[in-house]
Amino acid sequence: MRRTASPLALVLLGFGVFLLVLAPMLAWYVEPRAERTPTDVNITSVFTGQGRYFDQQELKTRSGQKLTVTRRVLGDVAAGEKSGRAVWDVSQTIDNPRTRKLDDPRKSFQWTTERLVTDRETNRPVDCCGSKPDDIAGEAYLKWPFDVEKRDYAWWDSSLGGTVPLRYKGEATVHGHKGLRFAGTVEPTRAGTRQVPGLLVDEPERGQVNAEQWYSNTGLEFVVDQRTGRILYAATGPKLALRAPGGTADKVTLLQSDKLEFTDKTQREAVELAEDDNARLRLVGSVAPVGAAAAGAVCAAVGAVLVVRGRRSPAARTGPATHG
């Protein structure tokens, strides 16, 4: 008796084998390649807090003021696709109550721009595509690498123009989402010069002087999503001061705050983005592979059984023809 496999049996067997091959590919090949820094980002982060600043119009320090730091990060998709890097244009403003109302970065208390270029896999800075400044270093800045480890990290501080060691401080929760906490400080460090009237730095006999700008930070703190490296919460305690050339004492405090931190809205948006990213990575790395493996095993088993059993062909079921 001759048996042949039915089309359904072959389809089930083939589909099952395909799913069984697909499952490990999703987990071992596709998922690692999904862990890449995005090129199409468009994120605005806002820090607020109390502090003091030097009013250049009134030539006096104003204390107890609300300070706002607004950081906008926009991905240059075309440059990213061409170079294979993550190319992010960064604009940051520091505003006091007066400049905040103007809503114009050119009229803010302080406005800085950067062009951050990083390796999409390692998160390390890369000097290409017009990066600015071209000496950015460290392991973390606007985000941490994927799969953040419970250890210290070198973080790039743009105000300092160098890296700062951030110590791992354990786990923390931001709006119900667990992350890893890092913290550090910056001792007073010279960070450039600024031309100002000599009177400001107690040198009235000199018209203009290149005063030294000193930067310190009493409280850098970050809570980072472990899987994606997204920053869920950030706080900073900056101080910018002027000293006379070669001086050892601060003469003018340009800006100081004990704590500027992510607004509640910024925290919630960061958590939402991290949860979405985690869901996609779980889908590719665990849910889809397990589902594909289970479905593939069932389809392959059913298909194999049907192939083994086969079906009797019409010719085998019909006896010899008789002739009258």
Side-chain angles (χ1 to χ4, degrees):
M1 180 174 61
R2 182 165 60 91
R3 294 179 180 273
T4 59
S6 68
L8 176 61
L10 295 176
V11 169
L12 284 174
L13 180 59
F15 186 59
V17 172
F18 168 75
L19 291 178
L20 289 174
V21 173
L22 177 64
M25 288 185 63
L26 288 172
W28 300 332
Y29 183 82
V30 177
E31 183 198 15
R33 283 157 181 77
E35 292 185 344
R36 295 290 186 272
T37 301
T39 59
D40 58 346
V41 298
N42 186 356
I43 300 174
T44 298
S45 303
V46 181
F47 300 71
T48 58
Q50 296 293 312
R52 58 178 178 152
Y53 71 94
F54 183 74
D55 189 326
Q56 299 183 37
Q57 294 180 343
E58 300 292 333
L59 296 181
K60 67 178 183 180
T61 300
R62 295 188 179 276
S63 302
Q65 301 293 306
K66 181 179 180 180
L67 302 178
T68 304
V69 178
T70 305
R71 179 187 293 153
R72 296 180 174 89
V73 181
L74 183 64
D76 187 335
V77 178
E81 292 180 350
K82 182 178 179 180
S83 65
R85 314 293 190 180
V87 183
W88 293 0
D89 290 316
V90 185
S91 171
Q92 179 172 289
T93 58
I94 300 177
D95 286 288
N96 54 46
R98 181 180 61 82
T99 62
R100 179 66 174 168
K101 295 177 182 178
L102 301 177
D103 196 27
D104 185 343
R106 296 168 298 179
K107 299 177 181 180
S108 62
F109 179 77
Q110 185 181 88
W111 179 32
T112 58
T113 59
E114 294 176 302
R115 186 171 174 87
L116 176 66
V117 184
T118 59
D119 184 286
R120 297 185 64 196
E121 181 178 357
T122 67
N123 200 54
R124 292 280 189 172
V126 180
D127 181 14
C128 82
C129 316
S131 59
K132 174 191 174 184
D134 58 9
D135 60 348
I136 293 179
E139 303 168 275
Y141 179 26
L142 300 179
K143 74 178 294 294
W144 259 247
F146 286 92
D147 299 317
V148 182
E149 300 175 31
K150 296 180 178 181
R151 62 173 177 84
D152 299 343
Y153 277 84
W155 179 77
W156 171 259
D157 188 326
S158 58
S159 297
L160 178 66
T163 59
V164 177
L166 294 183
R167 311 300 183 190
Y168 172 64
K169 297 294 184 178
E171 297 181 348
T173 301
V174 179
H175 289 291
H177 189 91
K178 185 179 293 186
L180 303 182
R181 179 174 171 266
F182 300 86
T185 59
V186 180
E187 295 300 317
T189 306
R190 181 177 172 176
T193 61
R194 176 180 296 197
Q195 191 175 63
V196 300
L199 181 65
L200 288 183
V201 291
D202 291 343
E203 293 195 1
E205 70 282 357
R206 302 174 64 181
Q208 296 286 322
V209 299
N210 289 319
E212 297 178 0
Q213 183 166 291
W214 284 69
Y215 164 75
S216 60
N217 203 304
T218 58
L220 288 165
E221 181 181 357
F222 300 89
V223 179
V224 182
D225 177 63
Q226 185 171 13
R227 185 73 182 276
T228 66
R230 281 192 181 275
I231 299 174
L232 309 175
Y233 170 85
T236 179
K239 179 181 179 182
L240 291 174
L242 293 180
R243 297 182 182 181
T248 58
D250 296 343
K251 297 300 182 179
V252 177
T253 298
L254 298 176
L255 177 78
Q256 184 176 14
S257 175
D258 292 334
K259 190 173 189 179
L260 299 172
E261 62 180 342
F262 270 4
T263 62
D264 186 73
K265 179 182 178 183
T266 296
Q267 293 179 47
R268 291 183 182 277
E269 290 175 347
V271 167
E272 183 178 346
L273 289 171
E275 290 179 342
D276 288 345
D277 289 344
N278 273 277
R280 293 190 185 96
L281 290 175
R282 280 196 301 270
L283 177 63
V284 175
S286 58
V287 176
V290 171
V298 171
C299 290
V302 172
V305 169
L306 292 178
V307 168
V308 171
R309 291 179 58 188
R311 66 179 178 83
R312 185 174 300 178
S313 66
R317 292 197 303 268
T318 304
T322 58
H323 300 279

